[in-house]
Amino acid sequence: MPLTESYSRGATDVPLAEQTIGAHFDATAARQPAREALVSVHQGLRYTYGELRVAVDRLASALLRQGLVPGDRIGIWSHNNVEWVLLQLATAKAGLVLVNINPAYRTAELEYALTLVGCKALVTMARFKTSDYLAMLQELAPELATAAPGDLHAARLPDLRLVAWIDVAGEGEEQPGMLRFSDLHARGDAADPQLEAVAAGLRSTDPINIQFTSGTTGFPKGATLTHRNILNNGFFIGECMRLTPEDRLCIPVPLYHCFGMVLGNLACFTHGSCIVYPNDGFDPLTVLQAVQDERCTGLHGVPTMFIAELDHPRFAEFDLSSLRTGIMAGSPCPAEVMKRVVGAMHLSQITIAYGMTETSPVSCQSSTDTPLDLRVSTVGTVQPHLEVKVVDADGAPVAPGATGELCTRGYAVMHGYWGDEARTREAIDAEGWMHTGDLATMDAQGYVKIVGRSKDMVIRGGENVYPREIEEFLYRHPQIQDVQVVGVPDAKYGEELCAWIVAKPGQPLTEDAVRDFCRGQIAHYKVPRHIRFVEGFPMTVTGKIQKFKIREAMAQALGRGAEKSA
């Protein structure tokens, strides 16, 4: 029956899971202990569900034996690997709150994140390409040099006690004040009676994960999610893809995002499917190789990843005929790209998903049988057990086809922003609706289309970037008087960052000097690609800066259409 207003409620015929993530995983492993659960191609590691359960239980035991107790926060600062997923499941079993830290973060961002949520422990990669994570930690906590492992007391990181670095067992130099991950893992016992005792006290509504999401008012907020939030979201996402234990999902998207850990890991674990990590970071060639060698049936990615795979000079060499489904999300998919993905990559049942970290993340998704034109032009329909509506300025649902703000309500709405009730109340109204800040339309059949953003968020290659955070960082530069950051259209990343800067009088400043100021302090994708020095900004008569005019001027100067960055 056609909708008469822009409000839609998801199906409720399949009940919500009320288990914890650990209990649900154990049930899956018990049903199929010999079935392959995890393949990490770049590490040369494979686990059956039975083997993975033992490894997870041993790590959960090791964490409890280090003195961590349910409710404590433990950070993970790493690209994709076995250790990441072991920690994801082990923390859930031990009742610890896993804190996802973007590997692109640098010292200022790491210090902020660890301090905001009071991390007692941190698991980190040693290094990746040009990033030396151990050196950054030693810069923040020079006390590591003389600390006993597990007994750190650092002035700038007052809550942090334990640091474990991800090693290849037996290789690499010892790190003062830190434990090897392999040694930490070995300290546990999969049959530890503590595990059963802790599990008895856990509830599905307990917070279990913190993910940082930038705000328009400054530094990132810690969106806090529960077992119930992300376990159910992973399940219903997998249902949209029609996952079964026969499926093998290639996950090149990062685990520190909901995309990797919920749409990837939890979608698989709730269906008994196999996870395949092609590499630690994204590389199109290793994705193609992994899909072929592991006979993957599913593939995730943001549009830029699919484009890189399709356009790789060796693309035609690979047999991708095993593929059928997956998810494209992160930013809108151009119609021509979707046609190529369906045709050349055999992904006839690929789906589109929409959401935000605060909603665990997916609230709308297309299904495997959604017509191609709707998969390209919309983000599908509301997920089960959720409600979505498109509202006007007074909060009333608009007519079908009219534009308004998209709001979501239901089990997927976050527990709240960590330690910030005021911002939580700003985002979630008294009736439980999460206000997304995205402008949308809903047609009479319930298909939702995202048409713009009421906030100034920029989506660069699937990464959400909020200009205000970058502006506040740049204001620290002693020669910058004023700055405005906007997104401008970009063929490769969808959008790129542009900074208009007013320098202090008599203080010469160069683009390179601004970028050098950013390097090593903020993530690489937050460093403005385009920098312009100006005398002032376009303003209204009341003194409000008109960012849309900055976008328009830059789009014209760069010879690109301005409509994408509206």
Side-chain angles (χ1 to χ4, degrees):
M1 187 173 177
L3 299 176
T4 57
E5 61 179 11
S6 295
Y7 166 85
S8 184
R9 180 193 291 268
T12 57
D13 52 316
V14 178
L16 289 169
E18 299 298 348
Q19 297 167 289
T20 63
I21 291 171
H24 198 286
F25 175 76
D26 283 353
T28 303
R31 282 196 307 273
Q32 49 180 55
R35 187 177 287 277
E36 203 160 54
L38 173 64
V39 178
S40 182
V41 176
H42 59 290
Q43 294 175 288
L45 296 173
R46 293 176 181 272
Y47 292 79
T48 64
Y49 267 91
E51 291 165 345
L52 187 60
R53 180 180 178 179
V54 170
V56 166
D57 285 352
R58 177 171 288 143
L59 180 57
S61 165
L63 294 171
L64 293 170
R65 290 179 175 186
Q66 286 297 126
L68 295 168
V69 298
D72 281 348
R73 276 77 64 203
I74 176 170
I76 175 71
W77 194 26
S78 173
H79 286 281
N80 297 9
N81 48 40
V82 164
E83 291 80 3
W84 210 110
V85 71
L86 288 178
L87 197 66
Q88 179 183 357
L89 293 171
T91 50
K93 286 200 164 194
L96 304 173
V97 181
L98 182 68
V99 181
N100 299 11
I101 299 173
N102 191 327
Y105 274 10
R106 293 300 176 258
T107 51
E109 297 154 315
L110 177 67
E111 179 181 7
Y112 174 82
L114 293 177
T115 304
L116 176 70
V117 302
C119 274
K120 283 194 177 178
L122 176 68
V123 173
T124 179
M125 291 184 85
R127 55 193 55 82
F128 181 79
K129 295 183 178 178
T130 59
S131 299
D132 190 333
Y133 297 105
L134 300 183
M136 284 187 269
L137 262 175
Q138 288 155 349
E139 179 185 336
L140 282 175
E143 297 90 343
L144 282 165
T146 55
D151 193 32
L152 176 66
H153 294 270
R156 292 175 69 179
L157 303 173
D159 300 290
L160 191 64
R161 294 291 176 267
L162 171 67
V163 177
W165 61 284
I166 297 171
D167 65 317
V168 176
E171 295 182 16
E173 297 178 1
E174 297 300 326
Q175 299 296 326
M178 304 183 198
L179 273 179
R180 292 173 176 269
F181 185 91
S182 59
D183 289 344
L184 171 66
H185 194 215
R187 294 183 179 189
D189 177 359
D192 191 336
Q194 280 192 96
L195 295 177
E196 192 172 336
V198 167
L202 301 182
R203 299 292 177 267
S204 66
T205 50
D206 292 339
I208 204 64
N209 183 221
I210 295 174
Q211 302 202 26
F212 292 101
T213 175
S214 294
T216 55
T217 56
F219 278 101
K221 304 182 288 282
T224 307
L225 306 171
T226 66
H227 295 267
R228 193 172 189 261
N229 285 150
I230 58 178
L231 179 66
N232 282 290
N233 207 245
F235 172 75
F236 286 113
I237 287 161
E239 289 290 278
C240 275
M241 293 190 287
R242 297 183 183 171
L243 290 183
T244 74
E246 301 299 322
D247 281 299
R248 300 171 68 81
L249 180 63
C250 183
I251 305 176
V253 295
L255 298 179
Y256 63 84
H257 274 174
C258 273
F259 200 166
M261 69 167 286
V262 181
L263 286 76
N265 290 354
L266 290 179
C268 285
F269 289 147
T270 53
H271 290 80
S273 308
C274 181
I275 289 166
V276 177
Y277 299 144
N279 213 329
D280 39 13
F282 176 67
D283 173 67
L285 185 60
T286 56
V287 172
L288 297 169
Q289 192 76 55
V291 168
Q292 173 181 276
D293 294 351
E294 297 295 331
R295 304 303 293 160
C296 293
T297 59
L299 175 61
H300 282 358
V302 299
T304 49
M305 289 181 174
F306 284 104
I307 292 168
E309 290 150 14
L310 286 160
D311 290 345
H312 194 278
R314 293 181 55 192
F315 176 80
E317 297 177 22
F318 294 94
D319 177 5
L320 309 180
S321 60
S322 58
L323 287 174
R324 73 168 179 88
T325 191
I327 295 175
M328 191 181 299
S331 57
C333 176
E336 290 306 310
V337 174
M338 178 61 88
K339 289 175 184 174
R340 291 177 68 197
V341 166
V342 169
M345 299 183 80
H346 306 279
L347 285 162
S348 59
Q349 296 181 353
I350 193 167
T351 71
I352 298 292
Y354 162 82
M356 59 193 305
T357 305
E358 291 91 336
T359 56
S360 302
V362 173
S363 52
C364 294
Q365 188 174 352
S366 63
S367 63
T368 56
D369 54 5
T370 299
L372 187 59
D373 61 327
L374 288 174
R375 271 188 272 174
V376 173
S377 61
T378 77
V379 292
T381 56
V382 64
Q383 276 266 14
H385 293 278
L386 297 176
E387 301 168 83
V388 293
K389 63 180 180 177
V390 179
V391 301
D392 59 21
D394 297 320
V398 299
T403 299
E405 184 186 16
L406 184 66
C407 299
T408 302
R409 183 167 69 178
Y411 80 85
V413 174
M414 67 176 177
H415 186 75
Y417 292 122
W418 185 269
D420 199 334
E421 288 187 18
R423 283 186 177 177
T424 301
R425 286 195 300 270
E426 286 175 13
I428 305 169
D429 67 25
E431 295 180 337
W433 288 99
M434 177 76 207
H435 290 252
T436 68
D438 286 326
L439 300 175
T441 64
M442 183 186 296
D443 70 15
Q445 282 69 51
Y447 283 92
V448 175
K449 180 184 293 187
I450 306 300
V451 298
R453 297 187 294 279
S454 57
K455 300 172 184 175
D456 285 325
M457 185 178 76
V458 175
I459 301 180
R460 180 195 181 276
E463 295 278 9
N464 293 352
V465 185
Y466 287 84
R468 181 64 184 270
E469 181 190 351
I470 301 164
E471 290 164 358
E472 291 197 359
F473 176 79
L474 289 175
Y475 277 128
R476 300 180 190 175
H477 194 293
Q479 293 165 269
I480 291 178
Q481 180 175 320
D482 206 353
V483 58
Q484 292 294 313
V485 175
V486 299
V488 295
D490 182 79
K492 182 176 181 181
Y493 292 106
E495 289 181 288
E496 270 284 9
L497 290 169
C498 169
W500 276 23
I501 294 172
V502 177
K504 290 182 178 178
Q507 305 242 355
L509 192 57
T510 65
E511 292 182 31
D512 286 344
V514 173
R515 293 193 184 97
D516 287 342
F517 180 74
C518 296
R519 284 193 186 98
Q521 296 297 312
I522 60 174
H524 65 86
Y525 63 84
K526 297 179 186 176
V527 179
R529 166 87 179 276
H530 307 287
I531 297 172
R532 298 291 185 272
F533 296 99
V534 296
E535 298 296 318
F537 309 119
M539 293 189 181
T540 65
V541 291
T542 57
K544 184 178 179 181
I545 294 169
Q546 297 173 301
K547 283 197 169 185
F548 73 94
K549 288 194 173 180
I550 298 176
R551 284 193 288 267
E552 289 174 354
M554 283 305 301
Q556 186 174 7
L558 295 168
R560 300 166 191 168
E563 69 280 355
K564 289 184 181 177
S565 61

